[in-house]
Amino acid sequence: MAEVTLHKITKTYGDTTALSDVSLTIPDGAFVVLLGPTGAGKTTTLRMVAGLDRPDRGDVMIHGRSMQGRTPAQRDVAMVFQQYSLYPHLSVRENLEFPLKSPILRTPRDVIARKVAEVAEVLQITHKLDNKATALSGGEMQRVSIGRALVRDPAIYLMDEPLSSLDAKLRSDLRIELKRIQSSMGATLLYVTHDQVEAMTMATHVGVLDQGHMVQFGTPREIYENP
Ligand code: ADP
Ligand code: ADP
């Protein structure tokens, strides 16, 4: 069963058609990289899956169920967007704990502490855990945003250029880490980037959007051998 299906999605903003009749089937455990020029509809695609916006026409299915009427919190997804959505008045540790402290989840305190420690280690921000979010550099804030998705351990990650503000070393470390999350933890990722290296090294599938149309979809090899 496909983890995520977009079925004939059309989305307009005023006179702009952001997505035009886009269909896409993302297999269970795939790492799908979306490529395409600015304005092609990549971010809109993520917003449709996340439920941040509703399609004009068409449907999004997750685990075989229609997501019509489901809020972002009711979908099994975690998002990482380019602009950091941290709580500035909270510490890094509190920002990382926050997604786990929902009254619905009732995550035990020792489990929260362990997950936060693990994720901080992976993202190399352990030494910043007690700093206020406002005291971080851009790259550090971006790592905390990624961390807030990782602690939740969702089936599906939606990421919009999550590594673009990081330096080369950290980018390459995190590429390996994201690949590990996909291959050993079985997560499904839908990932927007402009970086061809990221597409080639991480993707199991590449989708190319242009002016709201999905013009190519296939394995990296298929895409790069038939440009
Ligand atoms: P990409 O992520 O590929 O750069 P987007 O999905 O952000 O593209 O945008 C697709 C098109 O929809 C663009 O022309 C953009 O200007 C337009 N668009 C996206 N969101 C809005 C919005 N909230 N209001 C008006 N136009 C929008
Ligand atoms: P609203 O109350 O804002 O008019 P709905 O109650 O219809 O919207 O939808 C609630 C949530 O479900 C929104 O986050 C919206 O993005 C999403 N949604 C609505 N229709 C669909 C659809 N056909 N496929 C996927 N998600 C949808």
Side-chain angles (χ1 to χ4, degrees):
M1 182 183 55
E3 199 81 26
V4 182
T5 306
L6 282 79
H7 181 68
K8 293 175 179 271
I9 297 282
T10 294
K11 177 67 186 174
T12 56
Y13 295 103
D15 293 338
T16 306
T17 302
L19 293 176
S20 178
D21 209 29
V22 166
S23 293
L24 174 66
T25 298
I26 301 177
D28 204 356
F31 198 131
V32 175
V33 170
L34 287 181
L35 295 171
T38 302
K42 302 181 297 294
T43 299
T44 304
T45 303
L46 297 189
R47 293 177 64 83
M48 295 290 112
V49 178
L52 290 172
D53 242 333
R54 54 183 304 182
D56 301 338
R57 287 197 298 282
D59 200 5
V60 173
M61 323 263 286
I62 296 181
H63 308 312
R65 293 215 189 91
S66 170
M67 290 294 115
Q68 199 154 348
R70 302 242 187 152
T71 63
Q74 294 169 330
R75 304 179 182 205
D76 193 8
V77 302
M79 299 164 275
V80 182
F81 287 114
Q82 259 173 304
Q83 68 283 11
Y84 341 105
S85 50
L86 305 182
Y87 298 104
H89 57 289
L90 298 183
S91 70
V92 170
R93 187 191 309 282
E94 289 162 332
N95 268 281
L96 292 174
E97 287 169 348
F98 199 87
L100 298 174
K101 285 204 162 159
S102 116
I104 305 162
L105 289 175
R106 295 165 151 273
T107 312
R109 209 184 305 179
D110 58 327
V111 175
I112 294 180
R114 199 189 63 229
K115 282 202 168 180
V116 167
E118 275 171 18
V119 164
E121 191 66 41
V122 162
L123 297 172
Q124 302 164 29
I125 46 176
T126 304
H127 59 298
K128 298 281 178 176
L129 278 172
D130 294 310
N131 291 30
K132 281 266 165 63
T134 42
L136 303 178
S137 71
E140 287 163 349
M141 285 194 214
Q142 188 60 356
R143 278 181 272 165
V144 180
S145 317
I146 295 172
R148 285 166 54 95
L150 295 181
V151 292
R152 289 180 46 209
D153 200 11
I156 300 157
Y157 289 90
L158 305 171
M159 299 193 162
D160 199 344
E161 304 205 44
L163 309 185
S164 58
S165 64
L166 306 179
D167 65 39
K169 166 76 168 78
L170 199 56
R171 237 180 9 244
S172 113
D173 287 355
L174 290 185
R175 277 206 297 268
I176 293 165
E177 187 57 30
L178 290 177
K179 195 63 195 162
R180 192 186 65 77
I181 288 164
Q182 179 244 335
S183 54
S184 64
M185 299 171 72
T188 301
L189 288 93
L190 183 55
Y191 188 101
V192 169
T193 184
H194 281 103
D195 186 331
Q196 302 282 334
V197 177
E198 286 184 10
M200 285 302 284
T201 54
M202 299 194 298
T204 58
H205 302 72
V206 175
V208 183
L209 278 162
D210 191 23
Q211 297 185 23
H213 295 274
M214 186 69 72
V215 292
Q216 275 188 300
F217 186 75
T219 64
R221 177 174 287 213
E222 284 164 351
I223 300 293
Y224 288 100
E225 285 177 0
N226 306 289

